[in-house]
Amino acid sequence: MNLKRVIFLFLTLAVMIPVQLSAGIFNKNKDKAKAAGKDSDVARVTIIDGDTVPTFEIMEVNVYGRRTYSNKHKQKQYDKLTRNVIKMYPISLEIKSILVETYLYLQTLPDDKAREKHIKVVEDGVWKQYYPVMRQCTLAQGKLLIKLIDRECNQTSFELIDAFAGPFKAKFYQAFAAVFGASLKKEYKPDFDDEDQIIEEIIWMIENDRL
């Protein structure tokens, strides 16, 4: 077993997060959406020469472009990271989508036995779909996927495995990944980590058709 296999095993486990954990993630997002909706219903006004004029605060918008470096080594590293994000970012979105769909469908099933049966079906489907993809991933791409899943799911790989399989397996996979210089506890912190900030810029360019 190598790190690619460990990452794939995590990807499979991520699909099978307990309902309680999934509900916590999605309810948190719903609360944020509701709060945002309440704020958007109210417009501030300013009185100008006796007239009431609605005013709106325009949020700051960041616009990014491809970085260029005079140092050839740095440019090569940046181009490699860009290619890796382009490859792995869609996978992280697919994982999030599977989580949402699985969670919603599990709510319609009558009992734990039916839910376990469906989870097995999902697991088999994920294995067939993603195993060929993960076999082609490099070590750097596997590490990147760990961070991107944290970005999309609001949970680290370690926390997801711990929630589903328990602390023993979570610690086992963490120790095994560490042998290859990876960490399932790795968090995505674009506000504090320079590489994560670059990743965020690349994702922005992907989402805005700049790449």
Side-chain angles (χ1 to χ4, degrees):
M1 180 182 291
N2 55 27
L3 183 60
K4 294 178 185 178
R5 176 77 176 190
V6 173
I7 299 301
F8 174 75
L9 287 173
F10 159 69
L11 189 151
T12 303
L13 288 170
V15 178
M16 300 180 287
I17 296 176
V19 172
Q20 294 85 351
L21 178 60
S22 300
I25 294 173
F26 302 127
N27 288 339
K28 185 187 302 180
N29 293 337
K30 288 179 182 178
D31 293 340
K32 291 180 180 178
K34 288 181 180 179
K38 290 181 179 178
D39 292 340
S40 62
D41 291 336
V42 180
R44 297 178 181 178
V45 296
T46 301
I47 307 300
I48 303 177
D49 296 331
D51 294 328
T52 302
V53 180
T55 58
F56 301 91
E57 180 180 355
I58 300 177
M59 298 181 63
E60 179 181 352
V61 177
N62 296 317
V63 179
Y64 302 107
R66 289 180 66 92
R67 294 193 180 197
T68 56
Y69 298 89
S70 58
N71 185 294
K72 291 183 178 180
H73 178 67
K74 285 187 177 181
Q75 187 65 53
K76 186 177 180 180
Q77 286 184 317
Y78 175 78
D79 292 340
K80 180 180 178 181
L81 179 60
T82 299
R83 291 193 298 270
N84 287 345
V85 174
I86 291 173
K87 180 177 180 178
M88 306 311 292
Y89 178 58
I91 296 177
S92 68
L93 294 180
E94 290 170 9
I95 292 172
K96 182 179 180 180
S97 177
I98 292 172
L99 280 171
V100 174
E101 292 175 5
T102 302
Y103 163 70
L104 293 176
Y105 187 75
L106 288 176
Q107 303 311 296
T108 68
L109 299 179
D111 51 41
D112 290 342
K113 184 176 181 180
R115 283 189 281 272
E116 290 175 4
K117 183 179 179 180
H118 177 68
I119 287 175
K120 183 64 170 64
V121 172
V122 174
E123 179 184 359
D124 291 342
V126 170
W127 177 271
K128 292 178 182 178
Q129 181 177 354
Y130 288 102
Y131 182 64
V133 177
M134 297 308 295
R135 286 187 64 183
Q136 301 301 317
C137 289
T138 65
L139 177 60
Q141 290 168 347
K143 291 181 178 180
L144 175 61
L145 180 60
I146 290 174
K147 292 201 289 187
L148 291 177
I149 291 176
D150 180 45
R151 180 184 189 272
E152 296 305 317
C153 299
N154 299 319
Q155 298 286 329
T156 66
S157 305
F158 183 87
E159 290 168 336
L160 292 172
I161 297 174
D162 186 23
F164 173 75
F168 177 79
K169 284 192 176 181
K171 291 177 181 178
F172 171 79
Y173 287 127
Q174 168 63 13
F176 197 89
V179 174
F180 296 90
S183 174
L184 299 181
K185 295 182 179 181
K186 188 68 175 179
E187 296 180 355
Y188 183 74
K189 296 182 177 181
D191 294 332
F192 303 98
D193 186 277
D194 291 340
E195 182 179 88
D196 289 356
Q197 173 59 46
I198 295 175
I199 293 171
E200 194 67 20
E201 293 176 8
I202 297 170
I203 290 174
W204 183 92
M205 287 188 283
I206 293 172
E207 293 178 339
N208 289 276
D209 298 322
R210 297 295 183 93
L211 283 177

